[in-house]
């Protein structure tokens, strides 16, 4: 992972991550992010052209692909693996993107964004931990966070104390809470969603061509 300059630390670009790399900008953008969040509360429909949506996310569907060992091509077998566990789904970068799109349709994309931020944080060089920990806390954990995650008060307070002397594991407790929330709540619905089932059906149909 490319380490950012100490003077202007920034999180690596990751699927679903949209927060500012400059902590000073967070306060100024908080209201706009919240406004965007409220605007997104309008009902969304995915049934009008699901094939076009999936093609835009998985370009290989457009070409009528067949099964391949190439890392750049998504296979039906690979997508079927996502149904085995949330761990399998999140271990796959395309799986992260597809699940993230589903969470966005449910207005809960902050969960996977926080989980991914925590995974990235654990790989951070020690001298960059304080700045990155503060940014993640302000964006996701603080009681006034623009993308506040749904964790209990005790976990929120415990995390606030841990980032005062940040270690690679200071977000582990909160990350576990969010993982469990996704595993028990969002993940089962994802497996029954049009986004997942249509993607799987298209890949299976293309593999027979």
């Amino acid at each position: 992972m490319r380490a950012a300059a100490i003077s202007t630390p920034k999180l690596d670009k990751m699927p679903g991550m949209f927060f500012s790399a400059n902590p000073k900008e967070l306060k100024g953008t908080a209201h706009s992010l919240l406004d965007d969040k409220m605007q997104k509360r309008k009902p969304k429909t995915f049934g009008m052209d699901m094939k076009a949506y999936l093609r835009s996310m998985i370009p290989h569907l457009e070409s009528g692909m067949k099964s391949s060992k190439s890392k750049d091509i998504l296979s039906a077998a690979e997508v079927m693996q996502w149904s085995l566990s949330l761990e399998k789904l999140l271990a796959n970068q395309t799986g992260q993107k597809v699940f993230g799109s589903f969470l966005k349709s449910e207005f809960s994309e902050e969960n996977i964004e926080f989980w991914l931020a925590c995974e990235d944080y654990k790989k951070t060089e020690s001298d960059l931990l304080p700045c990155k920990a503060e940014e993640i806390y302000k964006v996701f954990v603080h009681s006034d966070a623009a993308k506040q995650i749904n964790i209990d008060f005790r976990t929120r307070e415990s995390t606030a104390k841990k980032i005062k002397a940040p270690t690679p594991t200071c977000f582990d407790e909160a990350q576990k809470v969010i993982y469990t929330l996704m595993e028990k709540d969002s993940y089962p619905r994802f497996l029954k969603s049009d986004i997942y089932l249509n993607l799987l059906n298209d890949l299976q149909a293309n593999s027979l061509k």
Side-chain angles (χ1 to χ4, degrees):
M1 185 186 75
R2 184 178 62 187
I6 295 178
S7 59
T8 56
K10 56 176 73 175
L11 291 179
D12 288 342
K13 292 183 179 179
M14 305 168 59
M17 302 297 291
F18 300 102
F19 51 86
S20 170
N22 187 346
K24 294 181 180 179
E25 295 177 2
L26 291 173
K27 185 176 181 180
T29 58
H31 292 295
S32 61
L33 287 170
L34 286 171
D35 291 341
D36 291 342
K37 190 78 172 180
M38 294 301 295
Q39 291 176 6
K40 290 189 295 183
R41 296 292 173 180
K42 298 177 182 179
K44 291 188 177 183
T45 59
F46 291 89
M48 295 183 65
D49 196 354
M50 178 59 69
K51 183 68 70 71
Y53 169 79
L54 292 173
R55 282 173 174 167
S56 68
M57 179 169 291
I58 312 296
H60 307 289
L61 290 179
E62 193 74 57
S63 62
M65 69 178 189
K66 296 182 181 295
S67 299
S68 170
K69 295 182 180 179
S70 171
K71 293 182 179 180
D72 296 328
I73 297 180
L74 189 68
S75 68
E78 188 176 4
V79 173
M80 289 181 68
Q81 288 287 311
W82 298 353
S83 67
L84 298 180
S85 68
L86 179 59
E87 182 180 5
K88 290 279 188 182
L89 172 63
L90 295 180
N92 183 280
Q93 286 193 353
T94 303
Q96 293 171 9
K97 293 177 183 178
V98 177
F99 187 49
S101 293
F102 170 75
L103 292 180
K104 189 172 184 178
S105 76
E106 293 199 329
F107 313 108
S108 59
E109 66 269 24
E110 68 275 1
N111 290 332
I112 192 169
E113 289 180 11
F114 173 70
W115 187 88
L116 289 169
C118 291
E119 290 297 290
D120 174 66
Y121 174 79
K122 295 172 186 177
K123 305 170 186 176
T124 302
E125 295 180 7
S126 58
D127 59 332
L128 297 178
L129 286 177
C131 288
K132 192 171 283 189
E134 182 180 359
E135 186 170 4
I136 293 174
Y137 178 78
K138 287 182 178 179
V139 173
F140 296 106
V141 183
H142 192 276
S143 57
D144 294 325
K147 297 186 176 184
Q148 185 186 116
I149 53 174
N150 184 16
I151 56 177
D152 58 274
F153 177 79
R154 186 193 65 78
T155 302
R156 198 178 306 277
E157 290 298 300
S158 174
T159 303
K161 293 178 180 178
K162 290 175 181 177
I163 68 165
K164 292 179 180 179
T167 66
T169 62
C170 67
F171 289 104
D172 281 7
E173 184 179 7
Q175 186 185 22
K176 183 177 180 181
V177 171
I178 292 304
Y179 182 91
T180 301
L181 178 64
M182 292 192 295
E183 184 178 42
K184 293 183 177 180
D185 185 40
S186 304
Y187 176 64
R189 289 198 301 276
F190 168 73
L191 296 179
K192 298 176 182 179
S193 71
D194 287 341
I195 289 179
Y196 175 72
L197 294 177
N198 286 345
L199 172 60
L200 179 59
N201 289 338
D202 280 348
L203 288 169
Q204 288 175 330
N206 280 311
S207 68
L208 298 176
K209 292 180 180 180

